Structures are given as C-alpha cells and as structure tokens.
Amino acid sequence: MQGVGQPSVLDGARIYAKLKSEVRAAGILSKSYSFYIPLILVAITGYLLSAWAIFALDSYPLLVLACLGFTFFTVQLAGVMHDSGHRAVFSSVRSNEILGAVCCGLIGMVFDNWRTRHNIHHAFPNQEGKDPDLEIPLIATSARLYARKSPLQRALMPYQAYYYFPLGALASFSNRLGSLSYFRHRRSRNDLSRFAIYLPAVVFLFVLPFALFSPAKALFVLSIVHITSGIYLANCFAPNHKGMAIISSNSTMSFIERQVMTSRNVRGGLLTDILLVGLNRQVEHHLFPNCPRNKLHLLRPYVMNACKALGLNYVEAGIIETNRDILRQLRGVPSVATLPALPAAAPAAAD
C-alpha cells in the first residue's frame, strides 16, 4: 500500500478516531489476565531456575546453556516490564507499576527512568532532537544526527554498518550500569526507594558472581549473560524503527501518520511473537500501546484499512530484510551528510 501523498492532520485525526472506535467496539483492548499471569509465572520461575543452574553447575558446556536460559528469561521479564509500563497488563495503574518495579528489580533497571524515556519515544518516534532512542553513541541514522556528533564519532561513522551489531552486545551493560547516572543528582525519598530496588540487582548481576565463583567462572558467566542479553535486546528493539523514516524536529503530522511511517512489523508466527516479546507487531503497538501483547495481531486488519484510507505504507518485513534495511541506512548516512537539509519526513537512505 504505497502512499500517494501526505495526509492532512485533520484527515489523520478523523481516521484514527474511527479506528479507535472500531477497535474498542471489538473488545480488543480489554485486559488478558489468562495470558499474562502464566507468562509472568513462567518468566520468573525460569529466571530463578536458570540462576540456580548457573550457581550449581561447573561444566562449561552446561553453563553456556544455563546462561542462555537466564538471558532468555531476563528478556521475557523485560517484555513484561515493557507491557506493564504501557498499562497493558492490569486495569489498575498501581498494579502495573508494582509489576514493572518487580521486573526491573530482577533485571537491573530503574522502572521510572525507563518508562519516562520510553514514553517520550512513543510520543516522538524517530523524530530528531526529541526521540531519545535516536541518541546512540557512535551511531547516526540521518544527516542531521551525523552533524551533531563529535569529530571523533563522525570519523568512525563510515564504518558504523560494520560495528552496529557488535555495539549491540554492550546494550546490557549500558542499560543496567547506565542507570546509576539516574541517581547522580536525585535525593528524594522516592529515589531512595527506587535505588533500594535497583541496587540488589546490580550486586546480584555484577558483584555476587565474583564472591561465589572462581574468577574464571565469574568472567565466563558475566561475558555470556551480558553479551547475549545485549544482542537479544538489540534484536528485539532495533528492527522496529531503525531503517525507517526519520522525522525532522519541526515536522507536523497526525498521530497515526507519525506512528505508522516510523514503525515496521517483523513477519512471523507464534515463535516470533514469543522471541521478540510482541515487539514484532510494532505498528499496532505504537497505535495502541495499552493493547495486551497477545491481541496485537487482532488489530492488523483494522490498522491496514486505516492505512489504506490515508494512503500510508504499512511496512512488514522478515528479520533478514529488516537488518538489510538498517545496514543500508547506516551505510548511506555518511555519504549524504554534506547534502542539503533533508525533507520533513525523510525516507531511509538508500545505497
């Protein structure tokens, strides 16, 4: 469905209001406890059992399996945290906040810090100067972002397509240890309680292995767990927006247009839904972030009809194709960085 021109803000608002009315009437946004309760129990149980296996095992081949299991269930908990941050799990705001804090307490993140940044991303996806997810060290996805980097970073960026995936391996370290900066200048009572939730996970994930294991086993476990967690997380989040349109900071467009043109779905069935914690249905998620993950597929025909009415391109691609699009954009950015300013909604750079 190729767009035939930019729809007006009024048209976008009208079509989205109609879409929302249809979706609500179909009952798709109602909570799904029969899905989330077993998911939460399995994720927490798997997390604890794999942690115990890492502690109990000394065989390195078996340790690899235990570490990979721990990585898998950690990312599943991150997916539950994500859904609770969007209030997609429980009807009660308080219950969602408690669940998000518990998940963050297990995986080593600060729920309020992550939720604030993520909500800004949802409000301004792929918009320069507004979307925090575009501010990645050593990575630029548009000429404007490239121009704002330091001279050293710009010197490295002709090679960003080559180090992009290895850089993802560091995501686990930056997400967890980077949260320390959140507390640097914060002294409120609430921040103390957040720190009390965050600190035990950091000790558990980064300090305790050296107290319990030999140095060789501790380094082995930390390397496998954090590198695989970073790569896994990067492959859950990056295909959704990277390689898609970049919006200039002063662009004005309707909510539905902004969300659709910057998002991409990853094709696949139930296994893809599980592995990518529902983020493979990114178009629907961005339009209805409070929709339970297991119901996102039900939104697809409604969303496709709305896109057709507005002439918007509904993008779906396989996981290999999405990564090709990302690398194509990364290779193209340095070569166009000296060209005139990009239009308000620039398509992904092509070779």
Side-chain angles (χ1 to χ4, degrees):
M1 291 176 294
Q2 185 61 47
V4 295
Q6 184 171 345
S8 70
V9 174
L10 184 60
D11 284 341
R14 177 177 55 80
I15 294 296
Y16 181 67
K18 180 175 180 290
L19 170 64
K20 184 185 291 188
S21 176
E22 292 172 344
V23 167
R24 283 178 173 169
I28 298 174
L29 301 184
S30 61
K31 302 309 177 190
S32 186
Y33 299 123
S34 62
F35 168 77
Y36 276 111
I37 298 303
L39 173 64
I40 293 166
L41 292 176
V42 169
I44 292 177
T45 302
Y47 175 95
L48 295 175
L49 286 177
S50 55
W52 174 84
I54 291 172
F55 170 78
L57 295 171
D58 289 317
S59 166
Y60 279 84
L62 293 178
L63 266 178
V64 170
L65 295 178
C67 289
L68 292 178
F70 186 80
T71 289
F72 174 77
F73 288 111
T74 296
V75 173
Q76 293 302 309
L77 284 172
V80 173
M81 175 204 73
H82 169 269
D83 293 358
S84 66
H86 286 295
R87 300 175 181 173
V89 181
F90 297 112
S91 298
S92 163
V93 172
R94 183 63 175 164
S95 296
N96 281 304
E97 290 179 345
I98 292 172
L99 176 60
V102 169
C103 291
C104 279
L106 291 171
I107 65 180
M109 293 178 64
V110 182
F111 184 56
D112 295 87
N113 182 36
W114 170 83
R115 181 174 55 183
T116 298
R117 289 176 54 86
H118 192 66
N119 285 343
I120 295 172
H121 157 71
H122 265 260
F124 306 102
N126 275 16
Q127 187 160 4
E128 295 170 327
K130 295 183 178 181
D131 184 357
D133 288 359
L134 288 180
E135 303 299 330
I136 306 172
L138 301 175
I139 296 293
T141 50
S142 76
R144 291 186 188 89
L145 293 171
Y146 175 93
R148 292 207 299 266
K149 298 293 185 180
S150 68
L152 176 59
Q153 291 191 66
R154 289 200 300 271
L156 293 173
M157 281 177 184
Y159 312 102
Q160 65 177 346
Y162 299 100
Y163 60 69
Y164 173 75
F165 289 110
L167 198 64
L170 302 178
S172 177
F173 294 99
S174 63
N175 286 336
R176 286 165 167 154
L177 295 179
S179 294
L180 284 168
S181 62
Y182 174 77
F183 298 103
R184 186 173 301 163
H185 303 295
R186 305 178 72 93
R187 299 290 185 272
S188 73
R189 183 178 299 177
N190 287 337
D191 290 317
L192 289 176
S193 64
R194 292 176 188 127
F195 189 71
I197 295 172
Y198 167 71
L199 185 60
V202 173
V203 172
F204 175 71
L205 292 166
F206 292 97
V207 179
L208 199 59
F210 290 98
L212 297 178
F213 309 148
S214 68
K217 180 178 177 180
L219 288 172
F220 180 83
V221 168
L222 260 68
S223 298
I224 297 295
V225 165
H226 293 294
I227 289 174
T228 57
S229 294
I231 293 172
Y232 189 178
L233 282 170
N235 279 279
C236 286
F237 287 95
N240 307 330
H241 300 286
K242 298 294 180 286
M244 295 300 292
I246 304 296
I247 303 173
S248 68
S249 59
N250 59 354
S251 176
T252 301
M253 59 182 65
S254 67
F255 172 80
I256 187 171
E257 182 186 8
R258 180 189 302 273
Q259 304 301 331
V260 170
M261 70 182 293
T262 59
S263 302
R264 174 203 292 111
N265 283 359
V266 179
R267 291 194 190 100
L270 178 61
L271 182 60
T272 304
D273 288 345
I274 294 171
L275 291 176
L276 298 187
V277 293
L279 297 177
N280 49 307
R281 302 185 186 277
Q282 193 69 189
V283 178
E284 287 76 14
H285 168 62
H286 260 254
L287 289 172
F288 297 96
N290 64 333
C291 180
R293 180 196 313 178
N294 61 312
K295 294 185 176 182
L296 287 171
H297 70 283
L298 300 176
L299 294 172
R300 186 174 183 272
Y302 296 93
V303 172
M304 291 185 73
N305 286 336
C307 289
K308 185 176 182 180
L310 286 168
L312 294 176
N313 195 13
Y314 180 97
V315 179
E316 290 181 304
I319 190 65
I320 294 176
E321 186 181 350
T322 64
N323 284 298
R324 285 175 180 167
D325 288 344
I326 293 170
L327 294 179
R328 184 180 299 116
Q329 185 179 51
L330 294 176
R331 287 195 299 268
V333 167
S335 65
V336 301
T338 58
L339 294 179
L342 298 175
D351 284 335

PDB file of all heavy atoms in Angstrom, residues 170-190:
ATOM      1  N   LEU A 170      26.845  -4.478  23.844  1.00  0.00           N
ATOM      2  CA  LEU A 170      27.085  -3.654  25.031  1.00  0.00           C
ATOM      3  C   LEU A 170      25.792  -3.103  25.631  1.00  0.00           C
ATOM      4  O   LEU A 170      25.816  -2.446  26.677  1.00  0.00           O
ATOM      5  CB  LEU A 170      28.006  -2.487  24.682  1.00  0.00           C
ATOM      6  CG  LEU A 170      29.369  -2.857  24.095  1.00  0.00           C
ATOM      7  CD1 LEU A 170      30.143  -1.592  23.749  1.00  0.00           C
ATOM      8  CD2 LEU A 170      30.161  -3.725  25.066  1.00  0.00           C
ATOM      9  N   ALA A 171      24.660  -3.355  24.971  1.00  0.00           N
ATOM     10  CA  ALA A 171      23.384  -2.771  25.419  1.00  0.00           C
ATOM     11  C   ALA A 171      23.023  -3.201  26.831  1.00  0.00           C
ATOM     12  O   ALA A 171      22.460  -2.421  27.610  1.00  0.00           O
ATOM     13  CB  ALA A 171      22.270  -3.156  24.450  1.00  0.00           C
ATOM     14  N   SER A 172      23.336  -4.444  27.187  1.00  0.00           N
ATOM     15  CA  SER A 172      23.019  -4.922  28.525  1.00  0.00           C
ATOM     16  C   SER A 172      23.786  -4.138  29.581  1.00  0.00           C
ATOM     17  O   SER A 172      23.228  -3.748  30.622  1.00  0.00           O
ATOM     18  CB  SER A 172      23.346  -6.412  28.646  1.00  0.00           C
ATOM     19  OG  SER A 172      23.119  -6.877  29.952  1.00  0.00           O
ATOM     20  N   PHE A 173      25.073  -3.885  29.333  1.00  0.00           N
ATOM     21  CA  PHE A 173      25.880  -3.114  30.287  1.00  0.00           C
ATOM     22  C   PHE A 173      25.372  -1.686  30.406  1.00  0.00           C
ATOM     23  O   PHE A 173      25.224  -1.147  31.506  1.00  0.00           O
ATOM     24  CB  PHE A 173      27.347  -3.113  29.849  1.00  0.00           C
ATOM     25  CG  PHE A 173      28.005  -4.454  29.898  1.00  0.00           C
ATOM     26  CD1 PHE A 173      28.135  -5.218  28.748  1.00  0.00           C
ATOM     27  CD2 PHE A 173      28.487  -4.971  31.094  1.00  0.00           C
ATOM     28  CE1 PHE A 173      28.748  -6.463  28.778  1.00  0.00           C
ATOM     29  CE2 PHE A 173      29.099  -6.229  31.141  1.00  0.00           C
ATOM     30  CZ  PHE A 173      29.229  -6.972  29.984  1.00  0.00           C
ATOM     31  N   SER A 174      25.098  -1.058  29.249  1.00  0.00           N
ATOM     32  CA  SER A 174      24.678   0.345  29.276  1.00  0.00           C
ATOM     33  C   SER A 174      23.298   0.511  29.911  1.00  0.00           C
ATOM     34  O   SER A 174      23.056   1.465  30.662  1.00  0.00           O
ATOM     35  CB  SER A 174      24.685   0.929  27.852  1.00  0.00           C
ATOM     36  OG  SER A 174      23.754   0.256  27.026  1.00  0.00           O
ATOM     37  N   ASN A 175      22.377  -0.417  29.642  1.00  0.00           N
ATOM     38  CA  ASN A 175      21.041  -0.317  30.216  1.00  0.00           C
ATOM     39  C   ASN A 175      21.062  -0.500  31.731  1.00  0.00           C
ATOM     40  O   ASN A 175      20.317   0.160  32.461  1.00  0.00           O
ATOM     41  CB  ASN A 175      20.105  -1.354  29.600  1.00  0.00           C
ATOM     42  CG  ASN A 175      19.688  -0.993  28.194  1.00  0.00           C
ATOM     43  OD1 ASN A 175      19.712   0.170  27.812  1.00  0.00           O
ATOM     44  ND2 ASN A 175      19.305  -1.992  27.411  1.00  0.00           N
ATOM     45  N   ARG A 176      21.913  -1.419  32.205  1.00  0.00           N
ATOM     46  CA  ARG A 176      21.929  -1.720  33.628  1.00  0.00           C
ATOM     47  C   ARG A 176      22.828  -0.753  34.402  1.00  0.00           C
ATOM     48  O   ARG A 176      22.376  -0.046  35.306  1.00  0.00           O
ATOM     49  CB  ARG A 176      22.395  -3.166  33.837  1.00  0.00           C
ATOM     50  CG  ARG A 176      21.321  -4.178  33.453  1.00  0.00           C
ATOM     51  CD  ARG A 176      21.868  -5.571  33.312  1.00  0.00           C
ATOM     52  NE  ARG A 176      20.794  -6.565  33.238  1.00  0.00           N
ATOM     53  CZ  ARG A 176      20.908  -7.750  32.648  1.00  0.00           C
ATOM     54  NH1 ARG A 176      22.033  -8.088  32.055  1.00  0.00           N
ATOM     55  NH2 ARG A 176      19.890  -8.585  32.630  1.00  0.00           N
ATOM     56  N   LEU A 177      24.095  -0.698  34.059  1.00  0.00           N
ATOM     57  CA  LEU A 177      25.015   0.159  34.796  1.00  0.00           C
ATOM     58  C   LEU A 177      24.767   1.631  34.496  1.00  0.00           C
ATOM     59  O   LEU A 177      25.020   2.498  35.332  1.00  0.00           O
ATOM     60  CB  LEU A 177      26.464  -0.222  34.456  1.00  0.00           C
ATOM     61  CG  LEU A 177      26.883  -1.636  34.903  1.00  0.00           C
ATOM     62  CD1 LEU A 177      28.320  -1.913  34.490  1.00  0.00           C
ATOM     63  CD2 LEU A 177      26.723  -1.811  36.415  1.00  0.00           C
ATOM     64  N   GLY A 178      24.261   1.917  33.286  1.00  0.00           N
ATOM     65  CA  GLY A 178      23.975   3.304  32.928  1.00  0.00           C
ATOM     66  C   GLY A 178      22.905   3.922  33.794  1.00  0.00           C
ATOM     67  O   GLY A 178      22.826   5.156  33.920  1.00  0.00           O
ATOM     68  N   SER A 179      22.073   3.072  34.418  1.00  0.00           N
ATOM     69  CA  SER A 179      21.018   3.602  35.285  1.00  0.00           C
ATOM     70  C   SER A 179      21.581   4.265  36.534  1.00  0.00           C
ATOM     71  O   SER A 179      20.877   5.014  37.215  1.00  0.00           O
ATOM     72  CB  SER A 179      20.062   2.474  35.692  1.00  0.00           C
ATOM     73  OG  SER A 179      19.358   1.979  34.566  1.00  0.00           O
ATOM     74  N   LEU A 180      22.844   4.015  36.866  1.00  0.00           N
ATOM     75  CA  LEU A 180      23.459   4.678  38.014  1.00  0.00           C
ATOM     76  C   LEU A 180      23.431   6.193  37.849  1.00  0.00           C
ATOM     77  O   LEU A 180      23.305   6.934  38.830  1.00  0.00           O
ATOM     78  CB  LEU A 180      24.897   4.192  38.196  1.00  0.00           C
ATOM     79  CG  LEU A 180      25.075   2.795  38.810  1.00  0.00           C
ATOM     80  CD1 LEU A 180      26.516   2.334  38.667  1.00  0.00           C
ATOM     81  CD2 LEU A 180      24.658   2.800  40.280  1.00  0.00           C
ATOM     82  N   SER A 181      23.551   6.654  36.594  1.00  0.00           N
ATOM     83  CA  SER A 181      23.551   8.094  36.354  1.00  0.00           C
ATOM     84  C   SER A 181      22.206   8.728  36.708  1.00  0.00           C
ATOM     85  O   SER A 181      22.135   9.926  36.984  1.00  0.00           O
ATOM     86  CB  SER A 181      23.893   8.390  34.888  1.00  0.00           C
ATOM     87  OG  SER A 181      22.908   7.833  34.026  1.00  0.00           O
ATOM     88  N   TYR A 182      21.143   7.925  36.704  1.00  0.00           N
ATOM     89  CA  TYR A 182      19.816   8.427  37.050  1.00  0.00           C
ATOM     90  C   TYR A 182      19.790   8.974  38.477  1.00  0.00           C
ATOM     91  O   TYR A 182      19.076   9.915  38.789  1.00  0.00           O
ATOM     92  CB  TYR A 182      18.792   7.308  36.888  1.00  0.00           C
ATOM     93  CG  TYR A 182      17.386   7.636  37.343  1.00  0.00           C
ATOM     94  CD1 TYR A 182      16.552   8.427  36.567  1.00  0.00           C
ATOM     95  CD2 TYR A 182      16.887   7.139  38.552  1.00  0.00           C
ATOM     96  CE1 TYR A 182      15.255   8.716  36.982  1.00  0.00           C
ATOM     97  CE2 TYR A 182      15.596   7.418  38.967  1.00  0.00           C
ATOM     98  CZ  TYR A 182      14.786   8.207  38.175  1.00  0.00           C
ATOM     99  OH  TYR A 182      13.507   8.490  38.583  1.00  0.00           O
ATOM    100  N   PHE A 183      20.606   8.371  39.360  1.00  0.00           N
ATOM    101  CA  PHE A 183      20.575   8.741  40.771  1.00  0.00           C
ATOM    102  C   PHE A 183      21.629   9.789  41.142  1.00  0.00           C
ATOM    103  O   PHE A 183      21.711  10.179  42.305  1.00  0.00           O
ATOM    104  CB  PHE A 183      20.814   7.491  41.640  1.00  0.00           C
ATOM    105  CG  PHE A 183      19.752   6.438  41.480  1.00  0.00           C
ATOM    106  CD1 PHE A 183      19.993   5.302  40.714  1.00  0.00           C
ATOM    107  CD2 PHE A 183      18.516   6.578  42.077  1.00  0.00           C
ATOM    108  CE1 PHE A 183      19.029   4.319  40.561  1.00  0.00           C
ATOM    109  CE2 PHE A 183      17.537   5.603  41.935  1.00  0.00           C
ATOM    110  CZ  PHE A 183      17.785   4.474  41.186  1.00  0.00           C
ATOM    111  N   ARG A 184      22.398  10.238  40.178  1.00  0.00           N
ATOM    112  CA  ARG A 184      23.543  11.086  40.491  1.00  0.00           C
ATOM    113  C   ARG A 184      23.136  12.356  41.238  1.00  0.00           C
ATOM    114  O   ARG A 184      23.793  12.754  42.195  1.00  0.00           O
ATOM    115  CB  ARG A 184      24.285  11.444  39.203  1.00  0.00           C
ATOM    116  CG  ARG A 184      25.582  12.203  39.430  1.00  0.00           C
ATOM    117  CD  ARG A 184      26.332  12.354  38.126  1.00  0.00           C
ATOM    118  NE  ARG A 184      26.635  11.045  37.543  1.00  0.00           N
ATOM    119  CZ  ARG A 184      26.988  10.871  36.266  1.00  0.00           C
ATOM    120  NH1 ARG A 184      27.027  11.907  35.447  1.00  0.00           N
ATOM    121  NH2 ARG A 184      27.267   9.674  35.816  1.00  0.00           N
ATOM    122  N   HIS A 185      22.072  13.009  40.801  1.00  0.00           N
ATOM    123  CA  HIS A 185      21.656  14.260  41.423  1.00  0.00           C
ATOM    124  C   HIS A 185      20.238  14.176  41.999  1.00  0.00           C
ATOM    125  O   HIS A 185      19.546  15.172  42.116  1.00  0.00           O
ATOM    126  CB  HIS A 185      21.734  15.407  40.407  1.00  0.00           C
ATOM    127  CG  HIS A 185      23.085  15.583  39.804  1.00  0.00           C
ATOM    128  ND1 HIS A 185      24.186  15.969  40.534  1.00  0.00           N
ATOM    129  CD2 HIS A 185      23.527  15.399  38.530  1.00  0.00           C
ATOM    130  CE1 HIS A 185      25.245  16.028  39.751  1.00  0.00           C
ATOM    131  NE2 HIS A 185      24.881  15.680  38.535  1.00  0.00           N
ATOM    132  N   ARG A 186      19.824  12.984  42.393  1.00  0.00           N
ATOM    133  CA  ARG A 186      18.472  12.797  42.901  1.00  0.00           C
ATOM    134  C   ARG A 186      18.555  12.386  44.369  1.00  0.00           C
ATOM    135  O   ARG A 186      19.286  11.469  44.724  1.00  0.00           O
ATOM    136  CB  ARG A 186      17.713  11.748  42.076  1.00  0.00           C
ATOM    137  CG  ARG A 186      17.693  12.065  40.579  1.00  0.00           C
ATOM    138  CD  ARG A 186      16.977  10.976  39.798  1.00  0.00           C
ATOM    139  NE  ARG A 186      15.559  11.016  40.027  1.00  0.00           N
ATOM    140  CZ  ARG A 186      14.700  11.678  39.249  1.00  0.00           C
ATOM    141  NH1 ARG A 186      15.128  12.369  38.207  1.00  0.00           N
ATOM    142  NH2 ARG A 186      13.398  11.653  39.502  1.00  0.00           N
ATOM    143  N   ARG A 187      17.770  13.060  45.208  1.00  0.00           N
ATOM    144  CA  ARG A 187      17.864  12.816  46.645  1.00  0.00           C
ATOM    145  C   ARG A 187      16.490  12.680  47.322  1.00  0.00           C
ATOM    146  O   ARG A 187      16.390  12.720  48.530  1.00  0.00           O
ATOM    147  CB  ARG A 187      18.613  13.976  47.323  1.00  0.00           C
ATOM    148  CG  ARG A 187      20.038  14.177  46.834  1.00  0.00           C
ATOM    149  CD  ARG A 187      20.953  13.048  47.272  1.00  0.00           C
ATOM    150  NE  ARG A 187      22.338  13.315  46.894  1.00  0.00           N
ATOM    151  CZ  ARG A 187      22.879  12.978  45.735  1.00  0.00           C
ATOM    152  NH1 ARG A 187      22.132  12.354  44.832  1.00  0.00           N
ATOM    153  NH2 ARG A 187      24.141  13.243  45.471  1.00  0.00           N
ATOM    154  N   SER A 188      15.425  12.502  46.556  1.00  0.00           N
ATOM    155  CA  SER A 188      14.101  12.430  47.164  1.00  0.00           C
ATOM    156  C   SER A 188      13.880  11.064  47.812  1.00  0.00           C
ATOM    157  O   SER A 188      14.604  10.099  47.557  1.00  0.00           O
ATOM    158  CB  SER A 188      13.016  12.680  46.113  1.00  0.00           C
ATOM    159  OG  SER A 188      12.885  11.561  45.260  1.00  0.00           O
ATOM    160  N   ARG A 189      12.853  10.995  48.649  1.00  0.00           N
ATOM    161  CA  ARG A 189      12.525   9.732  49.315  1.00  0.00           C
ATOM    162  C   ARG A 189      12.156   8.660  48.296  1.00  0.00           C
ATOM    163  O   ARG A 189      12.538   7.485  48.443  1.00  0.00           O
ATOM    164  CB  ARG A 189      11.382   9.957  50.293  1.00  0.00           C
ATOM    165  CG  ARG A 189      10.999   8.725  51.092  1.00  0.00           C
ATOM    166  CD  ARG A 189       9.878   9.036  52.071  1.00  0.00           C
ATOM    167  NE  ARG A 189      10.299  10.055  53.030  1.00  0.00           N
ATOM    168  CZ  ARG A 189       9.500  10.558  53.961  1.00  0.00           C
ATOM    169  NH1 ARG A 189       8.241  10.150  54.048  1.00  0.00           N
ATOM    170  NH2 ARG A 189       9.952  11.476  54.803  1.00  0.00           N
ATOM    171  N   ASN A 190      11.426   9.034  47.259  1.00  0.00           N
ATOM    172  CA  ASN A 190      11.070   8.065  46.224  1.00  0.00           C
ATOM    173  C   ASN A 190      12.295   7.535  45.508  1.00  0.00           C
ATOM    174  O   ASN A 190      12.352   6.357  45.139  1.00  0.00           O
ATOM    175  CB  ASN A 190      10.111   8.704  45.216  1.00  0.00           C
ATOM    176  CG  ASN A 190       8.709   8.889  45.778  1.00  0.00           C
ATOM    177  OD1 ASN A 190       8.322   8.197  46.714  1.00  0.00           O
ATOM    178  ND2 ASN A 190       7.955   9.818  45.213  1.00  0.00           N
TER     179      ASN A 190
END
